[in-house]
């Protein structure tokens, strides 16, 4: 099963966000249990930038990113994704790009904390809690 992970889930783990870390970390623990996890290339740059602002240590952030890439694969953002996102009627361009990447890799699920941002998604969305319930059943 192909699972697309929205940027906010990864940031919950990397920044140890209070109240969000445990669920998001539990989601990522499923990378070894028959799920193929992906993030977008755009997420990589966003994650690097945000974590660097917090850690203030480029080498540490690079190592964090290397660790992340042991759990997830990176899906490309190409011109066709950008054009489809531009042609969509989604209010948020970034979410639209993420959705187009998820569709391009034929994701079965998008895991996000912001399901309302994906109300027009052609791909099933789940919160971390919903995914954990789904994966455990």
């Amino acid at each position: 099963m192909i699972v697309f992970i929205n940027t906010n889930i990864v940031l919950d783990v990397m920044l140890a966000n209070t109240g969000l870390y445990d669920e998001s970390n539990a989601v990522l623990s499923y990378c070894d249990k028959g799920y193929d996890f992906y993030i977008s290339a755009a997420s990589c740059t966003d994650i690097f930038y945000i974590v660097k602002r917090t850690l203030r240590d480029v080498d540490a952030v690079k190592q964090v990113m290397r660790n992340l890439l042991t759990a997830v694969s990176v899906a490309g953002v190409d011109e066709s994704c950008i054009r489809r996102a531009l042609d969509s009627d989604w209010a948020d361009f970034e979410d639209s790009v993420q959705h187009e990447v998820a569709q391009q890799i034929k994701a079965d699920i998008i895991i996000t904390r912001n399901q309302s941002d994906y109300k027009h998604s052609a791909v099933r969305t789940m919160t971390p809690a919903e995914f954990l319930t789904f994966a455990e059943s």
Side-chain angles (χ1 to χ4, degrees):
M1 176 172 283
I2 298 172
V3 179
F4 185 83
I5 306 291
N6 198 10
T7 308
N8 55 12
I9 305 305
V10 175
L11 288 172
D12 289 345
V13 175
M14 292 190 165
L15 300 176
N17 287 334
T18 305
L20 304 174
Y21 172 85
D22 289 337
E23 254 182 15
S24 295
N25 193 51
V27 165
L28 292 179
S29 76
Y30 276 86
C31 71
D32 295 329
K33 299 177 183 171
Y35 294 93
D36 295 323
F37 286 163
Y38 284 83
I39 60 173
S40 74
S43 291
C44 289
T45 58
D46 293 344
I47 292 164
F48 191 96
Y49 174 78
I50 292 166
V51 174
K52 187 177 103 181
R53 270 192 348 214
T54 301
L55 295 182
R56 300 186 191 279
D57 180 343
V58 172
D59 291 331
V61 178
K62 285 181 179 181
Q63 189 55 51
V64 166
M65 293 299 294
R66 287 184 187 100
N67 293 343
L68 173 64
L69 295 178
T70 66
V72 302
S73 297
V74 178
V77 178
D78 61 15
E79 182 178 344
S80 64
C81 288
I82 299 298
R83 288 186 180 277
R84 286 191 307 272
L86 288 170
D87 291 341
S88 77
D89 56 2
W90 285 46
D92 186 288
F93 179 68
E94 180 183 7
D95 292 334
S96 183
V97 169
Q98 295 284 68
H99 176 257
E100 292 302 328
V101 171
Q103 282 195 289
Q104 186 163 286
I105 64 167
K106 298 181 180 8
D108 298 294
I109 300 168
I110 297 172
I111 301 178
T112 182
R113 290 207 177 280
N114 304 322
Q115 278 186 300
S116 63
D117 294 344
Y118 290 84
K119 62 185 170 204
H120 301 296
S121 178
V123 180
R124 180 178 183 185
T125 62
M126 292 183 183
T127 64
E130 290 169 338
F131 175 78
L132 293 171
T133 299
F134 169 82
E136 292 167 7
S137 61

